[in-house]
Amino acid sequence: MAKGFVIAAPRSGSGKTVITLGILAALRRRGVIVAPAKAGPDYIDPAFLGRAAMRDAVNLDPWSMSPARLKALADMQSTGADLLVVEGVMGMFDGAADGFGSTGDLAELLDLPVVLVVDADRQSQSVAPLVAGFANWRPGVRVAGVILNRVASAKHERMLTDALLATGIPCLGAIPRNPALVIPERHLGLVLPGEMASFENFLDVAAEAIGDYVDLEQLQALAAPLAAAEQVVAPLAPLGQRMAIARDDAFVFLYPHLLDGWRSMGAELSFFSPLANEAPWEDADAIYLPGGYPELHGATLAAADGFKAGLAGARDRDALIYGECGGFMVLGEALVDKAGVSHAMAGLLPVVTRIDRPKRILGYRRLVHGGALPWPGHLNGHEFHYSSAKQSRLTPLFAATDAVGQAMPPMGAVIGKVMGSYAHVIDAA
């Protein structure tokens, strides 16, 4: 049975993604089969984790998913692997607005030890009470080791490690400051690994840093066995039995657990590229346009006449067409990019979206629908975007509340079996 641990940090920006990538790559190069996972709803970090581990990463979201779902996904992800490595989200005890869904919640639920990544920049002995505070905050969360990041010098390292002795928590390593260990960012977070011309070189540097400065044997030794899932949890139903799914640089935000669940229920999945002007299967009974970055490819999508004709044909034969976030934007009439240029989209919904005056919208959502989606009426999802949609008078797809139950404006739009919204659906409520 595989073992595992969770990599967490006191706050965002501590470097846990880079260190997790380095650990995955360093262990894999030593012959360890590593299974990556990401806490929370993030789409971008799993793309990096998967490249580092050479194995698709899965999301484990303790706010949106039931305990049974989380355990089943962790069990499935670790099958055939030696080690499950879970990267946390934000600070270790940071959750949704209702206080739930943190990395600490996930570690406690899976009964996995935590490796705490601490950004040592601009502090020395204060690292000890910081680590002690996190280690003793919740009895069910076990901080089993510390990795110090952005250490300034050998003297700085000695001051930090000497201070940590009083905590009784082992220091697994100290990573020096290194400007090469930085991943570029943009409006939704990190760029994708395929957009980094030297990603493999970056991964080499990260793996070398971990190999040189972290005790990998001690790290593996602290991993705990992952308990087998206790029950089978039915996945969300496929949107159709012959599903055509958009997947390219404009449509990259796909949850692997949904795809795996649909396959397990016998759905036949095909993938097509709107950016390459590909149309969906002509006999597909459902088309899924996931989220991504259509705002970066407005002109290409506007010129994709074959793709747009394929969507119109699917609508005319009464196939279900569902778009999430970026996919919802593409189903609309037009997309106004950051430069203020309007690009004609598919025109299946009378919606105009724009990102020329961006304002970030972020948070978990409880969703209620009564339409053609073959899913339970109550769903959990997440919203994260910088664009906005001009309100239409159409029937909305979802009624929504935020994590604390505060009513949100109705989300999305529906015309017949064409529908979409900014929500990324994660699981049944």
Side-chain angles (χ1 to χ4, degrees):
M1 184 173 292
K3 296 183 177 182
F5 55 78
V6 175
I7 298 175
R11 60 172 176 82
S12 294
S14 299
K16 62 180 178 293
T17 296
V18 171
I19 286 177
T20 304
L21 292 174
I23 287 172
L24 290 169
L27 290 174
R28 179 173 58 80
R29 294 171 190 188
R30 285 161 173 76
V32 180
I33 302 174
V34 283
K38 172 68 181 180
D42 189 297
Y43 286 98
I44 300 172
D45 286 356
F48 282 93
L49 301 177
R51 285 281 293 271
M54 299 298 291
R55 184 183 178 117
D56 287 345
V58 68
N59 291 80
L60 301 173
D61 190 331
W63 190 90
S64 298
M65 297 174 178
S66 68
R69 173 84 69 206
L70 290 167
K71 291 178 180 179
L73 285 175
D75 185 35
M76 183 185 305
Q77 180 69 357
S78 63
T79 299
D82 301 313
L83 199 62
L84 178 71
V85 179
V86 184
E87 183 199 351
V89 59
M90 301 186 294
M92 184 162 70
F93 296 111
D94 295 332
D98 60 358
F100 296 99
S102 70
T103 301
D105 291 340
L106 182 62
E108 184 171 9
L109 176 71
L110 298 179
D111 197 23
L112 291 179
V114 171
V115 175
L116 193 67
V117 174
V118 177
D119 182 357
D121 188 39
R122 301 183 184 182
Q123 70 172 329
S124 53
Q125 288 92 343
S126 294
V127 71
L130 173 69
V131 170
F134 274 84
N136 294 295
W137 182 251
R138 189 188 298 179
V141 179
R142 295 174 288 127
V143 177
V146 174
I147 295 176
L148 301 169
N149 194 27
R150 302 182 184 126
V151 176
S153 64
K155 179 181 178 181
H156 188 205
E157 180 182 345
R158 286 195 300 273
M159 295 170 70
L160 293 162
T161 54
D162 286 349
L164 284 173
L165 291 174
T167 69
I169 299 171
C171 180
L172 305 173
I175 314 277
R177 291 175 183 163
N178 187 343
L181 293 176
V182 176
I183 302 173
E185 298 186 19
R186 62 168 164 237
H187 56 280
L188 291 183
L190 303 177
V191 302
L192 292 165
E195 298 173 72
M196 292 177 62
S198 57
F199 178 70
E200 293 304 323
N201 292 336
F202 167 84
L203 205 56
D204 288 339
V205 173
E208 184 176 344
I210 293 298
D212 289 345
Y213 297 106
V214 173
D215 187 336
L216 288 172
E217 286 72 25
Q218 189 177 12
L219 177 65
Q220 293 177 80
L222 63 79
L226 189 69
E230 299 171 357
Q231 64 185 90
V232 177
V233 184
L236 285 181
L239 297 171
Q241 286 307 113
R242 286 180 59 79
M243 286 183 59
I245 301 172
R247 185 165 66 179
D248 57 27
D249 287 346
F251 301 91
V252 292
F253 296 161
L254 284 159
Y255 285 126
H257 75 275
L258 293 180
L259 300 181
D260 291 341
W262 296 340
R263 290 189 183 101
S264 73
M265 298 184 76
E268 189 175 359
L269 309 183
S270 69
F271 298 90
F272 67 101
S273 170
L275 291 179
N277 200 22
E278 295 175 355
W281 269 343
E282 291 185 356
D283 60 347
D285 57 1
I287 297 169
Y288 175 33
L289 303 184
Y293 293 105
E295 66 270 24
L296 303 180
H297 306 278
T300 302
L301 291 169
D305 292 336
F307 158 62
K308 291 193 280 189
L311 287 184
R315 174 201 57 196
D316 293 343
R317 67 173 184 270
D318 206 31
L320 188 152
I321 303 175
Y322 172 63
E324 286 190 341
C325 201
F328 170 57
M329 296 165 69
V330 173
L331 289 177
E333 293 178 341
L335 187 164
V336 181
D337 66 19
K338 193 173 182 180
V341 178
S342 179
H343 304 280
M345 293 290 106
L348 272 63
L349 295 174
V351 173
V352 175
T353 56
R354 57 193 313 130
I355 198 169
D356 58 335
R357 296 188 296 274
K359 177 182 179 181
R360 188 176 76 164
I361 305 297
L362 170 67
Y364 283 111
R365 302 288 180 258
R366 299 193 188 278
L367 308 167
V368 180
H369 79 97
L373 286 172
W375 296 337
H378 293 258
L379 301 162
N380 287 337
H382 189 259
E383 189 176 8
F384 184 20
H385 56 93
Y386 278 79
S387 66
S388 59
K390 184 177 180 180
Q391 293 293 321
S392 71
R393 295 183 179 180
L394 297 178
T395 301
L397 177 58
F398 296 122
T401 61
D402 65 11
V404 296
Q406 181 71 37
M408 304 289 293
M411 297 184 67
V414 179
I415 296 180
K417 294 178 73 174
V418 179
M419 64 200 74
S421 80
Y422 274 119
H424 298 276
V425 172
I426 300 174
D427 204 355

